[in-house]
Amino acid sequence: MWTLIALLLLVPSSGKAATLEKPVLSLHPPWTTIFKGERVTLRCDGYHPLLLELRPISTLWYLGHVLLPSHKKSIEVQAPGVYRCQTRGAPVSDPIHLSVSNGECWPCWQGRHQAIPKGQENVT
């Protein structure tokens, strides 16, 4: 009985099976370059048919081509690389490229931190 209901929910009136959209990978804070020792949170948001929402949604995380051990909707990272995510039955997300700076990039600081590095106070 439940299987029949599941099939009916997943098949639109056109008679073709619904395809899941690619999940959207976001970065919080939205910096693709972080400083050594900093962390950012990656969040994987995808569309899921109503029936699949009744069960916990498992998320797969990739760093390059390596599968990461977390299955949560969001993860905290500090390693550089190309991150992607995937939710049950959906294609893999578009990538986010994360870079890690050693802190020697003055333009990287602008707009990110309130503190001004020593010796740079009078720069206009």
Side-chain angles (χ1 to χ4, degrees), residues 1-2 13 17 19-20 31 33-35 41-42 51 64 66 78 98 108 111 113 116 121-122:
M1 169 85 174
W2 287 109
S13 59
T19 57
L20 297 178
W31 304 323
T33 299
I34 60 173
F35 294 102
T41 300
L42 295 173
L51 184 66
V66 176
Q78 63 182 26
L98 185 65
C108 298
H113 298 284
I116 298 173
E121 296 92 350
N122 296 322

Side-chain angles (χ1 to χ4, degrees), residues 27-44:
L27 186 61
H28 307 280
W31 304 323
T32 55
T33 299
I34 60 173
F35 294 102
K36 198 173 200 173
E38 287 186 319
R39 293 175 178 266
V40 291
T41 300
L42 295 173
R43 181 179 168 104
C44 189

Side-chain angles (χ1 to χ4, degrees), residues 27-28 33 41-42 45 55 58 60 62 65 68-70 84 92-93 103 110-114 116 118 121:
L27 186 61
H28 307 280
T33 299
T41 300
L42 295 173
D45 291 304
R55 296 186 296 182
S58 170
L60 299 176
Y62 301 94
H65 296 289
L68 299 176
S70 179
R84 291 181 176 85
V92 176
S93 71
Q110 295 177 349
R112 285 210 36 203
H113 298 284
Q114 297 298 322
I116 298 173
K118 189 174 183 175
E121 296 92 350

